[in-house]
Amino acid sequence: MPKTLRLILGDQLNQHHSWFNEVDDDVTYALFETWSEATYTKHHVQKITGFFLAMRHFAEWARDAGHQVVYRTLDETREAQLESISDNLLALAEEIGAKKLGYQLPDEYRLDEELKSLSESFGGVIEVVDTEHFMSTRDDLEEIFKGKKTYLMETFYRTMRKRHQVLMDPSGEPETGTWNYDQENRGSLPKDIVFPEASIFERDASDIVAMIERNGIETMGRMRDNLFTYPVTRNECLEAMHDFCDNRLQFFGTYQDAMTEKHPLLYHANLSFAMNLKMISPKEVIDAAIETYRKRSSEITFNQLEGFVRQIIGWREYMRGVYWAKMPEFSYKNDLDHQLSLPKWYWTGDTKMNCLSHAVNQSLDNAYAHHIQRLMVTGNFALVLGAHPDDVDAWYLGVYIDAIEWVEITNTRGMSQRADGGLIATKPYCSSANYINKMSDYCKNCHYDHKKKVGEKACPFNSLYWDFLERHRDKFEKNFRMAFMYRTWDKKDGEEKAAILERAEWVKAHREEL
């Protein structure tokens, strides 16, 4: 039989894909560590390390299962002067005499375009298949919202719940009669709360770090003693999943929006890296959470479960749908015409603003921050400052280990920075220091005073927040969700307004010194 060469991308490590149901000696699987993937943005050192480790373990699993596998390290692809995925794939196809190429649909637009162009250089048959990972297709969301100006996540979420019969009664109604428990998922942390320690999977990554450095790959962030702690095999990912269900699910919903200096993870799952590389699937994750709830319903309230399920079957699938409905135009959106550069301390954590120092340094140390830290601290500041969405995208895409463009750009340029013109969110996610003080313990140990709007010690969030509303009054004044804040602003006298706006101008001009 003619030889077939199948490509596996670094975020396609799905052992349950139907490709692997049968062993065929005429089929070769290929995985490549490439310059192009390591440099399309400046990645966190743990992100590159994590991808390469997971890819190597996947290749080992496939070989042990009897499949033919070719794995090329970064050293090998650089020595061969083959920088892109397609360059390496075509060269290997010629080397082994493959007459047929296969690949799974990429989840990034740039790779989708690159692999589509293979037909221009390869004379044989090209087979394209689904990744068999997601619970929706690329086109589902666009079909659901055909003709609509805004894409309401709640509509999509309910559609997914019904389609997959997740937490549904046979009557077609939600299991408890209520779809969404978000109002019960905004609890602030009690002072004496204790956080369970999560499973870690420590391994020495010095060899990979050395390879990255000798090949001249510029990275960001830190990795203490080159010890990598994320799961990189399917069994480790399953262990991490069960650890969350057993030890943190019971408080996930209530405290999912809370922030603290005391613990980086709180009750979050931290399974996004495992899922985004497809080592585990969204269905098995929500099935495990539901099973845990059924067994322990006397101690796990329903809002804990629903909040978690909504993050996965709702937000995660929804953001992917927005990505494929709106790319590539989405990547150029800047509806608010924000032009300022992000402060350099986003890359160092060296700021006197305690909330930002903590969130940024945690991100640099762990390649992780939970969704409210990303949205309402680092994202909120970038928004009210007026940072250019390109800068914000580059930082978020680089710093987080789970950041792949389909999920990063929709959350960042869309939900966080409102650069999409309001497609995703009905209001901008902006706030003053009051929200951060309510939902965290950051303000207690800060150089700045969260109650002050003007003066040297005034928290920069406060003046920037009112400045943001004033700058964009024409866009938001008639938004019913923001009417109260505009009424509050309008009640201030002219002198107070002027002082606040003057402080905001100073903050913007001196953002590197904050």
Side-chain angles (χ1 to χ4, degrees), residues 131-262:
T131 62
E132 302 174 9
H133 171 80
F134 292 97
M135 298 176 73
S136 57
T137 69
R138 279 185 176 184
D139 304 326
D140 274 346
L141 180 135
E142 193 169 18
E143 285 297 314
I144 291 169
F145 294 108
K146 185 177 290 185
K148 304 291 185 183
K149 292 183 179 180
T150 57
Y151 292 175
L152 190 63
M153 195 285 289
E154 183 69 17
T155 302
F156 178 82
Y157 171 53
R158 294 183 185 191
T159 301
M160 293 292 287
R161 288 263 301 268
K162 292 174 184 176
R163 178 183 297 176
H164 295 283
Q165 288 298 293
V166 175
L167 304 178
M168 298 295 294
D169 277 341
S171 65
E173 294 299 312
E175 185 172 310
T176 62
T178 300
W179 286 100
N180 187 316
Y181 285 77
D182 191 46
Q183 293 296 326
E184 297 182 26
N185 294 348
R186 299 173 186 176
S188 53
L189 295 169
K191 291 181 180 179
D192 58 351
I193 196 164
V194 176
F195 302 105
E197 289 303 315
S199 298
I200 61 170
F201 306 89
E202 195 170 87
R203 45 173 51 84
D204 185 355
S206 297
D207 57 339
I208 289 183
V209 174
M211 180 184 69
I212 292 169
E213 291 175 350
R214 68 173 167 265
N215 282 283
I217 306 294
E218 290 188 26
T219 61
M220 64 188 295
R222 306 180 275 259
M223 180 160 47
R224 182 179 57 82
D225 298 329
N226 291 334
L227 293 176
F228 188 81
T229 60
Y230 284 84
V232 293
T233 70
R234 175 167 168 78
N235 285 339
E236 288 176 351
C237 294
L238 290 172
E239 181 181 336
M241 178 184 75
H242 290 299
D243 174 55
F244 164 71
C245 291
D246 292 342
N247 299 308
R248 301 193 297 286
L249 175 62
Q250 61 183 329
F251 294 121
F252 170 82
T254 300
Y255 300 123
Q256 67 171 300
D257 286 4
M259 300 174 284
T260 180
E261 293 181 289
K262 297 174 184 176

Side-chain angles (χ1 to χ4, degrees), residues 141 145 149-154 315 318-319 322 326 330 335-336 375-376 383 409-430 468 475-476 479-482:
L141 180 135
F145 294 108
K149 292 183 179 180
T150 57
Y151 292 175
L152 190 63
M153 195 285 289
E154 183 69 17
W315 281 113
Y318 167 83
M319 289 299 189
V322 171
K326 295 298 179 182
F330 198 90
D335 182 66
L336 300 178
L375 181 65
M376 297 308 298
L383 175 64
I409 198 171
T410 45
N411 274 291
T412 300
R413 194 172 289 253
M415 188 174 184
S416 171
Q417 299 304 294
R418 209 271 183 190
D420 64 349
L423 176 74
I424 290 174
T426 56
K427 66 177 285 293
Y429 280 87
C430 57
F468 173 84
K475 289 186 180 292
F476 302 131
N479 185 315
F480 75 96
R481 296 184 66 190
M482 300 185 72

Side-chain angles (χ1 to χ4, degrees), residues 276-308:
N276 290 355
L277 270 63
K278 303 180 181 62
M279 292 183 282
I280 53 177
S281 74
K283 186 178 188 307
E284 63 189 329
V285 171
I286 61 171
D287 283 350
I290 293 170
E291 181 181 0
T292 301
Y293 167 77
R294 303 284 187 224
K295 290 178 179 177
R296 297 167 55 193
S297 58
S298 62
E299 56 184 308
I300 301 176
T301 56
F302 193 81
N303 72 298
Q304 319 296 343
L305 175 66
E306 188 279 325
F308 182 66

